[in-house]
Amino acid sequence: MSLRLMGIKIGMTHIWKEEKFVPVTVIQVPETVVIETKTQEKHGYNAVKVATQKVEKSKINKPTLGQLKDYEDGYRYMYEMRDSEIGKDQKISVDLFSEGEKVIVSGISKGHGFCGVMKRHGFHGQPSSHGAMSHRRPGSIGNRSTPGKVTKGKKMPGHHGQATVTELGKEIVKVYPEKNLLLVKGGVPGTKGSRVFINKWERK
Amino acid sequence: MQILSELTKDLLKTDIIPFSVGDTIKVYQRITEGAKSRLQVFQGVVISKKGGGIGESFTVRKISYGEGVEKVFPYHSPAIAKVEVVTYGKVRRAKLYYLREAKSRMNKIKRKKMTKKIRKEA
């Protein structure tokens, strides 16, 4: 069973737990319904397909609408859960998770655009004064005619952020089933309003 | 934003005596050491109040053995058992950071006249 839920990052705040300050990220999990079950015989793997976040049907394109023809409402996002045993038409919500549980959270990190090596890789840079003529540059990137090339994977300037980031061992501080909210301790990758996945952590 | 403020609404205190910048207050902080817990008192002048909602905090400054000491308290923290106002001060700034430079001016904060409104709040 690989259970996971898609949620929307609302923002950060803090709560008190036994007079202790706990920083939390609030994640809202919209209504989620199982729309299809996939089997080994027919599809080659076992999974359930779920749709989430209600939206007007007029806002969905026709190929997607075909998948939702049994349903009154339209849903904006769809994703699959491998080897799950949840039946068709069943609704799933935040109560899959319990307080104090450790989970895996993944999301798309904030984009930083094209960055230099100091921001992107944490290089120290060069002095700002005392006659220094380079300040935020990478410095030397290799040797001379031996080996005569730059090693592959050399850390250089480039696009930073906006990549899928997965964090293990995030603690669920609180679950609000009636509000469809989850409080996760600490930060979560991504901007406010971005999609995050909360996965069950199955340690082998 | 609305979801966040609604979520923390229940955690906000409503029973704290209102005080403002310039007042001299006593803060009773609950300190837990192992199984025992006791109240620690910190008395001083409120030099700043900042933030809103659950993040609201205030800074109290006092002179302890000739040395200035400041403590920042989260307004809604459950560890703060109670707050007492000793004197109401009359000041013309929202942040009294000038007290850091001039120790002697701390004693020169004028007392506010006890109007009906203040008495009612207290």
Side-chain angles (χ1 to χ4, degrees), chain B residues 26-85:
Chain B
K26 266 185 187 174
V27 184
Y28 292 80
Q29 189 186 356
R30 198 176 299 116
I31 290 176
T32 314
E33 291 160 330
K36 278 186 200 167
S37 86
R38 63 190 167 85
L39 288 180
Q40 193 182 60
V41 188
F42 191 87
Q43 181 173 347
V45 180
V46 183
I47 62 165
S48 120
K49 276 170 107 173
K50 63 200 281 188
I54 198 167
E56 191 174 347
S57 67
F58 59 93
T59 309
V60 182
R61 182 182 173 86
K62 75 163 177 180
I63 307 291
S64 176
Y65 300 104
E67 195 61 49
V69 179
E70 279 177 22
K71 236 175 171 180
V72 184
F73 295 99
Y75 194 88
H76 296 287
S77 167
I80 294 173
K82 68 175 169 175
V83 174
E84 262 174 21
V85 180

Side-chain angles (χ1 to χ4, degrees), chain A residues 10-16 18-21 24 26 28 176 179 181 183 192, chain B residues 1 3-4 6-8 10-11 30-32 54-55 74-79:
Chain A
I10 300 293
M12 286 192 76
T13 182
H14 64 82
I15 58 168
W16 275 284
E18 288 151 10
E19 302 190 355
K20 288 263 160 62
F21 179 103
V24 291
V26 181
Q28 189 179 39
Y176 291 96
K179 290 179 188 164
L181 295 177
L183 304 192
K192 283 179 203 170
Chain B
M1 254 352 260
I3 293 171
L4 290 185
E6 257 175 47
L7 199 67
T8 50
D10 308 336
L11 297 168
R30 198 176 299 116
I31 290 176
T32 314
I54 198 167
Y75 194 88
H76 296 287
S77 167

